[in-house]
Amino acid sequence: MVSLPDPVHHTLPFLEGEESPGLLLIGQTRTWHIPPEVGALYAERGEIRELGAPEELKARHPGARRIYAERITPGLADAHTHPLFWGAALEELDLTGLSFEAILERLSQEASRRPPGSWIVGRGMMGVYDRRALDERIKEHPVLLWSRDHHAALVNQRALEQAGIGQGTPDPPRGRISRWASGEPDGYVQEAAVELVASHLPPLGPSQLARGLSDFARRGYTAIHALGFEPLETLAWAEAMELPVRVWWAVPAQGWRSVEAGWRNSRLEVRGVKFFADGALGSRTAWMHRPYPDGSLGLPLDAGPWIRHEGEAALERGFTLAVHAIGTRAVEEVLGIFAELAPQARRPLRIEHVQHVRDEDLPRFAGLPLALSMQPLHLEGDAPWIRAFWGEAGLKEAYRFRDLWSTGLPLAFGSDAPVAAPEWARNLACATHPLLADQALSPEEVLWAHTRGAALAAGWSEYGHIAPGAPADLTLWEEGRPVARVFAGHLEAL
């Protein structure tokens, strides 16, 4: 535990949430600067003032509050999140890892406790199902079960009725309603078709956003990147809050023209426009060159020419671009668009996920003004699908951490919460033990991607390292886990 053994100093509980000018933090300190490691740092009023040996800094700052930790690093950042929906997910049924039969049993139990007609929402479903078993078990409640990747959902008949979806309902643009041979919807909806149902859920609000953001803070994060899936009004809620983490915000491509780029305050920068080149693997909407077992190639979403046109306009207005691209075909498409737009980029362009990459596309990354935002922990759920769909050939193209690191571009790691919980340790385990051994990163490289790499992906050159003059956004560690953080001049135990 972070300790203050000397009785002349305050104890950590006293420091929680209190102003703490003059903090002397003592422990193995990874700087990502020169020198790369020191034994102590002195910070005052939210800024790092000095690095050095513990005894030297003690002598120069005798009145500073001393905090001892096993390890001190730049503050952890999650480089791909959806904080509003993570806050909502914390209120939903967590079905992660359950078989479909176990899911049905859990839903039956939940239905017995809720008034008829109220919604039941769950997350973490693996696999593709139709609604027959759901309709048999849950007759009095509309049900929506998010797939693990949040790019599809299973809904029951009550939910379809409430959404007005029937045999004559057409597929929406950028979405698909799965149907039986009769043309009747079978309950499985993909991409934009999910919104036809989800729009009838009880509305989300500032309380869910606050809950999601606070959860990141209590896990030791000091920054997150909010990647443009939230409705536009969510930004106004964030602007009105005292944010518990620093936030890089991307707005949805469909509404960016009504928003101005720039810092709203010292904790919130609106800088990205988020596009979707494709969907996700588990929902079989990632846009691939290799066909899925059913012969499909996935589902391209935002058209390439539209991304280029809107992207060029956004760059002229001071934004940068963040494009979701999971499948090989999507990555290929986005690389081509970014090669054309590169001369206009003032901040790093971002490819989000960059999960499946062909050999012939690897040389195209080098030299582009890119950051590569990845979520290693997703391979836990994706590995069985990759093996089942494409065998060894698919494994070779997936989660190419080492190959992408070798491009020289910054890797930035995150969780994509609510797709996965924002657990740094899971990213560490998956990136150091990936699908193929030659793609492994070292623990220090994973930490870099969660700190300095994330800062560079945001265009925040002053963040993500420990150096005189840099903001004192710090994470403190014991036995490999975060136990405290320093943020905005405050020391907080986790």
Side-chain angles (χ1 to χ4, degrees):
M1 183 61 188
V2 175
S3 60
L4 289 158
D6 190 334
V8 302
H9 302 298
H10 297 287
T11 60
L12 185 59
F14 179 84
L15 287 174
E16 279 191 74
E18 296 293 327
E19 281 296 330
S20 42
L23 285 176
L24 179 56
L25 294 106
I26 299 169
Q28 181 187 34
T29 302
R30 169 58 71 183
T31 68
W32 308 130
H33 193 66
I34 299 172
E37 196 165 281
V38 295
L41 69 91
Y42 175 72
E44 188 174 319
R45 302 191 182 280
E47 181 180 298
I48 297 166
R49 299 294 177 86
E50 200 171 356
L51 310 180
E55 295 308 315
E56 293 175 355
L57 294 188
K58 285 179 183 179
R60 281 202 286 274
H61 305 284
R65 299 169 177 175
R66 299 178 188 173
I67 297 92
Y68 296 80
E70 182 180 304
R71 196 174 195 206
I72 303 158
T73 69
L76 280 176
D78 189 311
H80 189 117
T81 74
H82 305 285
L84 174 67
F85 295 108
W86 176 236
L90 294 171
E91 302 171 356
E92 297 168 353
L93 296 179
D94 185 358
L95 308 175
T96 305
L98 298 183
S99 67
F100 192 55
E101 183 57 39
I103 289 174
L104 293 172
E105 182 59 32
R106 180 82 184 278
L107 293 172
S108 297
Q109 295 170 1
E110 194 67 24
S112 69
R113 294 192 287 265
R114 298 194 183 197
S118 60
W119 278 89
I120 300 175
V121 181
R123 59 182 172 92
M125 180 187 71
M126 290 286 287
V128 179
Y129 308 97
D130 63 38
R131 62 180 165 85
R132 285 173 295 187
L134 202 55
D135 288 344
E136 291 173 6
R137 296 282 192 100
I138 314 295
K139 301 179 184 297
E140 303 297 326
H141 301 77
V143 176
L144 185 148
L145 304 179
W146 290 103
S147 64
R148 182 186 67 86
D149 55 31
H150 272 63
H151 283 255
L154 179 65
V155 301
N156 66 351
Q157 178 64 25
R158 286 293 298 269
L160 290 171
E161 291 171 353
Q162 193 150 329
I165 297 174
Q167 189 167 348
T169 304
D171 287 349
R174 305 169 73 247
R176 182 184 296 151
I177 301 169
S178 181
R179 305 170 193 271
W180 286 308
S182 65
E184 189 73 18
D186 67 12
Y188 191 70
V189 287
Q190 297 168 291
E191 301 299 342
V194 180
E195 186 56 27
L196 298 179
V197 183
S199 62
H200 294 268
L201 293 170
L204 302 179
S207 64
Q208 284 83 18
L209 177 61
R211 183 173 184 179
L213 292 168
S214 295
D215 185 75
F216 285 101
R218 74 170 186 83
R219 294 171 184 266
Y221 292 93
T222 62
I224 68 164
H225 302 176
L227 263 298
F229 200 61
E230 282 79 358
L232 281 175
E233 60 264 27
T234 312
L235 176 57
W237 304 338
E239 290 172 339
M241 293 178 182
E242 184 175 43
L243 301 175
V245 290
R246 226 170 292 280
V247 183
W248 185 91
W249 196 281
V251 294
Q254 284 70 24
W256 73 268
R257 290 176 182 270
S258 65
V259 180
E260 292 298 321
W263 285 91
R264 299 304 193 259
N265 53 60
S266 64
R267 301 186 188 184
L268 176 62
E269 184 186 26
V270 181
R271 188 59 65 182
V273 176
K274 174 71 177 297
F275 297 86
F276 284 85
D278 68 344
L281 185 68
S283 299
R284 304 188 188 191
T285 54
W287 191 18
M288 307 296 294
H289 288 90
R290 301 180 189 278
Y292 293 91
D294 63 4
S296 68
L297 294 171
L299 187 64
L301 297 179
D302 295 332
W306 186 76
I307 295 175
R308 194 197 181 290
H309 177 267
E310 288 296 295
E312 185 173 27
L315 290 171
E316 290 174 355
R317 285 263 301 271
F319 287 95
T320 191
L321 313 180
V323 184
H324 167 121
I326 287 181
T328 56
R329 184 70 180 86
V331 171
E332 177 187 67
E333 178 91 356
V334 174
L335 283 171
I337 295 169
F338 280 178
E340 294 179 25
L341 295 178
Q344 296 174 249
R346 286 174 277 175
R347 292 282 190 95
L349 303 169
R350 297 172 56 130
I351 303 182
E352 304 298 322
H353 309 300
V354 62
Q355 188 171 301
H356 301 266
V357 183
R358 298 190 303 169
D359 285 345
E360 50 263 54
D361 286 322
L362 280 173
R364 302 174 65 200
F365 287 87
L368 291 176
L370 296 185
L372 307 177
S373 171
M374 304 184 75
Q375 302 75 40
L377 75 174
H378 290 189
L379 72 79
E380 295 173 339
D382 286 343
W385 297 118
I386 296 168
R387 291 189 175 94
F389 294 161
W390 304 295
E392 290 300 315
L395 292 175
K396 188 175 184 299
E397 293 177 343
Y399 292 98
R400 304 184 73 161
F401 306 125
R402 175 56 60 192
D403 288 339
L404 292 172
W405 181 277
S406 297
T407 64
L409 300 174
L411 267 59
F413 284 172
S415 64
D416 202 6
V419 173
E423 297 173 359
W424 176 87
R426 288 172 62 197
N427 266 348
L428 174 66
C430 291
T432 54
H433 297 85
L435 297 174
L436 298 179
D438 64 355
Q439 295 303 316
L441 298 180
S442 71
E444 287 297 284
E445 289 167 335
V446 176
L447 179 64
W448 188 93
H450 260 295
T451 52
R452 185 62 176 162
L456 293 176
W460 294 352
S461 60
E462 70 273 32
Y463 290 91
H465 64 173
I466 294 176
D473 289 1
L474 307 167
T475 300
L476 282 59
W477 304 73
E478 295 287 341
E479 298 180 351
R481 65 182 184 89
V483 294
R485 69 175 196 151
V486 176
F487 178 71
H490 296 69
L491 174 67
E492 304 167 3
L494 306 181

